[in-house]
């Protein structure tokens, strides 16, 4: 309905953004004179229908907010703050492009950034790509995944696995309608711990980029960081490989959200499997010298780096076993890994109402 | 075949790019300290299978080069030079991602730019999005489409319509194989003026961004510019609207490539229609005070700006008629406008060989 032309759409966006809007020319001019550090940070990430989101269940404005959040999470992992966004939106006929653009601009504004350019095109499948430019939060050493050293402690900025549960709930029929203030559970799904399920859906659909945390971490003398997008095991492999170290994760220390494990049980999902490989957690994974206690920043210690290459897990019985890098590889598969029961929620232990 | 994972693909790209490659972290760090002007210019543009390119006929390396060229053309229109690129590549299973990445990096390098980041994902349809960051070619007033004034002369940086003929030739079976040095004509198509057809294919598939011209224009005291991507009529409407002027185009002055009109005739295409609305010409449209003679820069005068709003065309008989803005709107249609006979080349006046 809103496909009445790129020109008209951009005009509406410019009107929505107000008189200061920079939309219009072939390229956007970015004033970098005010950058104290003389450095820009840039990242690009997409949301694709059927891969990262389900457009049949999640309204355009919520997809747009998620797009901004996952990009901002990359900047958080670099210790940078978002400033300027460029959107390339390829959408199928009838897609509510106006709402998507408005929500993108709004979400960027909430993070202190501005939508300065973009490209609109038609495609069979929604492919929304945001390039986010940011500035370093402070002078000093930059956050990078290659800065870990043997002996470093490993920390997590938040819980893992919850987003994957939310993803499974979307697969089972959950979603987020345009004007609803919160996501909705799969219709007809009878479930104890509905609050936990609701939180999991929100966590999956509206992740919170840890920008303030990244800013703090950038002040440490040496610190390796990345954001968990493809699962702890896979992203830790990346950090360890880039740093030339090995790592051991203390499985008993992995932080889970309230009622996460019992919710998984109800949904016939594997809590530890999702915690290690579920992906899209969008919390920071950090390695730094053991002298730094990051508990005050809300981080949870989950293991340590070693000179011996490879990933290991210490189980509850204190045995140490090799840990597979089994995260979500976007080129390798279309969907997050299907742990036990992922696709079978409706038929699983969770009870459906007769209606 | 090359979808063995994002990690492996990026590792191969890093190896291809050599030891200085910046690929790897969540975000790319861009050093802006050396920017004399304190300004960055940013643009984003996509190539989508079935919309801008046909992946069944054009090999990944050639699609990648086209992606770089169309983005660089936007920078040219801003009087900027490319410096840094970020690629988001959503590709179907089996697509030769490696070749695409390598060609992107190579094409950027040829323009003095560097591939510093990216995102790989799987999609049903190729959607390749490049964000290109550049620096102003020189201090001074920036090129913008809003700078035209009544009385300005209108200039074109090159010929129009030829790319649309190339597009029609691709639709009829032309294309560009991976290792071929040049595109190939539709198999079996018997045609006089094969050289002109070959040039049209090349013009369409491998446009040349007018970066040096943009650099020169940025040195003029006042100059409006944009690059022709959606057809002269539509892009001139944009320039005129943004500048608050009207414009008249002298149709007899429109520059066409050698043998363009006779080639159109053979292919049953409308040369003037394609010149005005074919799109993807990727030459600069310029408006500047009549005191400046831009002939030396290779520009061709095609009309003038007026205070009376709207677009007009002066025909060969010196009559002036309203000119429709009939360019290619990416949200409005899936393909370039189909002028007379566009889809019917094979059945048109051009003769097919028995084979």
């Amino acid at each position: 309905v809103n496909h009445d032309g790129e020109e008209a759409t951009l005009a509406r966006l410019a009107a929505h953004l107000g008189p200061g809007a920079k939309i219009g020319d072939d390229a956007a001019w970015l004033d970098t004179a005010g950058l104290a550090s003389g450095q820009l940070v840039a990242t690009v990430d997409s949301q694709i229908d059927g891969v990262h989101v389900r457009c049949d269940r999640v309204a355009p404005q919520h997809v747009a907010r998620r797009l901004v959040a996952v990009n901002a999470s990359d900047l958080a992992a670099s210790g940078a703050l978002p400033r300027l966004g460029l959107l390339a939106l390829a959408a199928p006929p009838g897609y509510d492009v106006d709402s998507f653009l408005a929500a993108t601009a709004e979400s960027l504004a909430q993070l202190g950034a501005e939508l300065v350019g973009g490209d609109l095109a038609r495609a069979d499948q929604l492919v929304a790509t945001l390039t986010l430019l940011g500035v370093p939060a402070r002078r000093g050493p930059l956050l990078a995944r290659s800065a870990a050293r043997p002996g470093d402690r490993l920390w997590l900025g938040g819980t893992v696995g919850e987003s994957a549960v939310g993803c499974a709930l979307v697969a089972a029929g959950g979603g987020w309608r345009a004007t609803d203030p919160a996501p909705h559970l799969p219709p007809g799904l009878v479930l104890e711990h509905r609050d936990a399920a609701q939180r999991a859906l929100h966590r999956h659909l509206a992740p919170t980029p840890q920008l303030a945390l990244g800013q703090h971490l950038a002040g440490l003398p040496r610190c390796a960081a990345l954001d968990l997008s493809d699962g702890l095991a896979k992203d830790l492999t990346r950090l360890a490989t880039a740093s030339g170290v090995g790592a051991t994760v203390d499985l008993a220390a992995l932080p889970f959200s309230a009622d996460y494990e019992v919710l998984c049980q109800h949904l016939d999902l594997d809590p530890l499997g999702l915690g290690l490989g579920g992906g899209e957690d969008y919390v920071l994974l950090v390695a730094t010298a053991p002298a730094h206690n990051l508990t005050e920043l809300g981080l949870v210690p989950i293991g340590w780096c070693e000179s011996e290459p490879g990933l290991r897990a210490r189980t509850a019985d204190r045995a140490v076993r090799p840990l597979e890098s089994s995260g979500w590889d976007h080129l390798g598969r279309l969907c997050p890994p299907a742990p036990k029961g992922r696709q079978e929620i409706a038929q699983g232990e969770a009870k459906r109402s007769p209606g």
Side-chain angles (χ1 to χ4, degrees), chain A:
Chain A
V1 283
N2 279 294
H3 273 91
D4 53 355
E6 187 172 6
E7 213 73 0
T9 304
L10 291 181
R12 281 193 301 275
L13 177 65
H16 179 89
L17 293 176
K22 293 182 185 166
I23 305 286
D25 274 302
D26 289 303
W29 288 88
L30 320 174
D31 195 348
T32 62
L35 303 184
S37 63
Q39 282 196 306
L40 266 187
V41 188
T43 188
V44 62
D45 233 325
S46 302
Q47 293 283 295
I48 302 178
D49 185 20
V51 181
H52 312 87
V53 284
R54 291 196 52 159
C55 289
D56 56 338
R57 297 187 181 162
V58 181
Q61 31 278 89
H62 304 306
V63 177
R65 284 183 200 118
R66 191 169 201 263
L67 176 66
V68 171
V70 303
N71 272 278
S73 183
D74 276 330
L75 289 194
S78 303
L81 299 171
R83 284 293 174 263
L84 305 159
L86 293 109
L87 175 70
L89 183 61
Y95 194 77
D96 186 355
V97 167
D98 281 24
S99 295
F100 195 102
L101 291 177
T104 303
E106 218 167 80
S107 301
L108 285 170
Q110 279 165 9
L111 300 178
E114 196 179 350
L115 184 61
V116 292
D119 180 55
L120 301 178
R122 181 170 284 201
D124 299 338
Q125 175 187 25
L126 181 92
V127 179
T129 300
L130 184 73
T131 303
L132 197 53
L133 303 176
V135 292
R138 51 174 82 197
R139 284 168 179 282
L142 314 175
L143 290 182
R145 57 180 67 173
S146 58
R149 299 288 170 265
D152 278 2
R153 278 180 100 176
L154 289 169
W155 302 80
L156 270 185
T159 63
V160 286
E162 189 181 29
S163 174
V165 172
C167 183
L169 286 166
V170 171
W176 201 342
R177 295 181 205 95
T179 53
D180 285 1
H184 60 84
L185 291 173
L189 182 69
V190 175
L191 194 66
E192 286 181 74
H193 308 285
R194 290 183 76 83
D195 283 0
Q198 190 76 39
R199 286 196 306 271
L201 269 174
H202 194 276
R203 170 76 178 269
H204 178 66
L205 295 175
T208 305
Q210 301 195 296
L211 290 163
L213 176 58
Q215 202 172 350
H216 277 291
L217 295 173
L220 293 177
R222 181 183 55 77
C223 175
L226 51 66
D227 75 317
L228 291 192
S229 54
D230 297 341
L232 173 59
K234 169 152 262 174
D235 287 321
L236 177 55
T237 302
R238 289 177 174 146
L239 183 143
T241 306
S243 299
V245 301
T248 295
V249 173
D250 185 356
L251 295 185
L254 285 188
F256 294 136
S257 303
D259 293 328
Y260 165 76
E261 289 174 277
V262 65
L263 177 65
C264 282
Q265 206 180 345
H266 276 280
L267 296 172
D268 199 20
L269 296 169
D270 172 15
L272 194 58
L274 290 187
L276 288 169
E280 303 198 286
D281 302 299
Y282 296 116
V283 294
L284 298 190
L285 169 65
V286 177
T288 192
H292 302 297
N293 187 338
L294 305 184
T295 315
E296 282 177 16
L297 295 177
L299 291 158
V300 177
I302 60 150
W304 50 91
C305 297
E306 296 149 326
S307 50
E308 189 194 339
L311 244 60
R312 290 158 294 278
R314 188 166 73 170
T315 55
D317 57 3
R318 304 212 143 235
V320 172
R321 300 183 201 163
L323 177 60
E324 294 295 313
S325 162
S326 56
W328 172 11
D329 187 311
H330 284 286
L331 280 186
R333 23 191 154 179
L334 260 179
C335 274
K340 180 176 162 251
R342 157 71 63 97
Q343 304 303 329
E344 288 89 42
I345 285 186
Q347 294 79 42
E349 289 177 40
K351 300 152 209 110
R352 275 182 159 270
S353 75

